[in-house]
Amino acid sequence: MQMMQSISVVVPTYKERDNLPELINRIQKVREDHHLNLELIIVDDNSKDGSEEYVQSLGLPWCRILVRRDEKGLSSAVLKGFTEAQGDIFVVMDADLSHPPEKIPELIEQIQTGADMVMGSRYVPGGKTDEEWGIFRWLNSKIATLLARPLTSVKDPMSGFFALPRRIYEKSAPLNPTGYKIALELLVKCPVEKVVEIPIYFSQRAKGKSKLSIKEQFKYLVHLRRLYSFKYENLTYFLHFSIIGFSGTIVNLLALTILVFFGIPVRLSVAISIIIAMLSNFVLNRRFTFPHAVESHWFPQLIGFMSACSIGAVINYITVLILLYIFPLLENIPQIPALVGILAGLIFNFILSKNFVFRKK
Ligand code: GDD
Ligand code: MN
């Protein structure tokens, strides 16, 4: 365990002037009682409520306020704080005293004994939310947490009170600071393995009112979608690819019906419909499954895609033959080996398309 690591506490604020005195006092006390090498960085989004003047008037060397005039948003404010921070360990908390500053030493201790991230949690034994929390806010918070469940096993990824070492933060994938769930973003995109949750009492905000609007709640859904595609990237691609593959079947049958209707010979119609379906799959996959593909020229991609599909068809056929060889009884229900064949062809097409035809540069 390393001693005396430096700590940067980042607090995003918007119109929190009335909460600043108590917040700073309590952090100062923690700082002195525990002999911490701690700086406090308040990132304010141009509140114009005297916050800036107040912090400056204190003249504390360990406490400063950054005022952003060009940008807004809780998450981006936190990230701004990180870029300015000097510490080895980052702590994030709200200004309204919902998060007890007295818990900071416990968070730090967990980081120093090997945790990659520490969460102040309302939903572990000993944690609690204020009784005054209405049923609506409670339910809302529960649902939001449940939706994030496949992304992280942390019980309370949303409390907004957390710590992580700089070394973990620096290894993060590119961060997208939409919305206000910055802890969730970090949990998914940083290489965190050991997460410790320590119980906190989440009290009602001391003064002023919440900035969390309905609009922010909607942004959370957009944020979730992004995180899911990040974490389950291949699965997301494959899902798109399969849906488009299925649509190709419909295109194929439709084209066939029309061609035959206009008197084109059946065998020729079948061949043309296959090509039309392939083209339609190509266009849709290029546009939706692998949107980055538009950066390269379409012609070599088209040739690649057609080849991949042809080999895929052969794989499909061989799979069926093998299955029939191993399980001769399947002759009676050829639909089953046919389905397995389609799946094998699909997976093969997908792997080739993703890694060769439409690969990222
Ligand atoms: N710089 C900046 N810019 N700060 C902001 C902004 C912004 O656009 N919006 C909010 N903040 C600051 C607030 O001033 C406060 O210090 C902190 O972010 C949390 O905002 P609150 O308005 O108190 O939000 P809340 O209490 O509804 O939400 C808190 O609890 C949720 C859990 O119930 C936050 O901690 C959330 O992250 C948490 O999910
Ligand atoms: Mn609050």
Side-chain angles (χ1 to χ4, degrees), residues 16 94 96-98 137 202-205 209-211:
E16 301 287 1
D94 293 350
D96 59 1
L97 301 160
S98 285
R137 187 169 177 179
F202 189 104
S203 44
Q204 195 72 290
R205 100 177 346 263
K209 54 178 194 291
S210 170
K211 318 304 178 306

Side-chain angles (χ1 to χ4, degrees), residues 1-176:
M1 158 171 149
Q2 296 141 293
M3 292 309 284
M4 249 351 233
Q5 283 186 308
S6 52
I7 299 146
S8 298
V9 178
V10 173
V11 178
T13 59
Y14 186 66
K15 297 203 192 296
E16 301 287 1
R17 165 65 183 91
D18 293 343
N19 288 314
L20 292 179
E22 185 179 342
L23 176 80
I24 297 174
N25 276 337
R26 283 168 63 180
I27 294 180
Q28 180 159 36
K29 186 158 189 326
V30 171
R31 190 176 181 275
E32 284 164 5
D33 290 354
H34 294 262
H35 310 286
L36 298 174
N37 177 5
L38 178 154
E39 64 169 351
L40 172 59
I41 303 175
I42 296 167
V43 189
D44 186 81
D45 285 352
N46 207 12
S47 300
K48 291 192 178 136
D49 62 348
S51 298
E52 191 179 356
E53 294 77 4
Y54 173 71
V55 175
Q56 276 157 2
S57 74
L58 295 175
L60 296 169
W62 55 273
C63 170
R64 63 202 148 107
I65 182 164
L66 305 171
V67 181
R68 302 197 302 171
R69 299 183 207 279
D70 47 346
E71 222 183 322
K72 270 202 182 318
L74 201 165
S75 291
S76 64
V78 169
L79 294 180
K80 170 76 180 164
F82 286 174
T83 62
E84 299 284 328
Q86 304 288 318
D88 306 310
I89 300 171
F90 300 160
V91 176
V92 176
M93 62 189 293
D94 293 350
D96 59 1
L97 301 160
S98 285
H99 302 144
E102 293 69 30
K103 282 275 179 175
I104 293 175
E106 263 180 70
L107 266 71
I108 302 298
E109 196 188 311
Q110 291 295 339
I111 296 285
Q112 287 180 327
T113 51
D116 297 326
M117 193 149 166
V118 186
M119 316 291 300
S121 173
R122 296 163 287 181
Y123 305 136
V124 293
K128 216 164 173 270
T129 41
D130 200 290
E131 283 82 6
E132 281 176 48
W133 257 38
I135 179 78
F136 178 71
R137 187 169 177 179
W138 183 85
L139 200 72
N140 197 331
S141 167
K142 278 288 177 196
I143 293 173
T145 309
L146 216 67
L147 289 175
R149 207 47 236 250
L151 297 168
T152 172
S153 55
V154 169
K155 297 254 173 5
D156 187 5
M158 323 285 186
S159 83
F161 187 28
F162 61 94
L164 80 168
R166 169 191 291 277
R167 65 177 167 84
I168 295 285
Y169 164 71
E170 282 176 348
K171 283 192 223 131
S172 151
L175 294 165
N176 191 318

Side-chain angles (χ1 to χ4, degrees), residues 2 20 50 55 67 116-117 147 190 206 213 229 240 261 274 294 305-306 316 329 333 347-348 361:
Q2 296 141 293
L20 292 179
V55 175
V67 181
D116 297 326
M117 193 149 166
L147 289 175
C190 293
S213 59
S229 344
H240 272 111
F261 177 80
I274 290 177
V294 292
F305 186 74
M306 294 293 203
N316 177 343
L329 276 179
I333 17 171
I347 292 173
F348 179 84
K361 276 200 277 194

Side-chain angles (χ1 to χ4, degrees), residues 334-352:
Q335 289 82 356
I336 291 182
L339 270 177
V340 179
I342 290 173
L343 194 66
L346 182 72
I347 292 173
F348 179 84
N349 277 349
F350 172 69
I351 292 174
L352 237 59

Side-chain angles (χ1 to χ4, degrees), residues 214-231:
I214 294 288
K215 196 173 143 213
E216 287 296 334
Q217 316 260 7
F218 266 107
K219 277 201 215 154
Y220 173 57
L221 295 180
V222 176
H223 189 194
L224 272 182
R225 203 190 95 99
R226 284 227 187 89
L227 290 177
Y228 273 93
S229 344
F230 174 84
K231 178 150 181 157

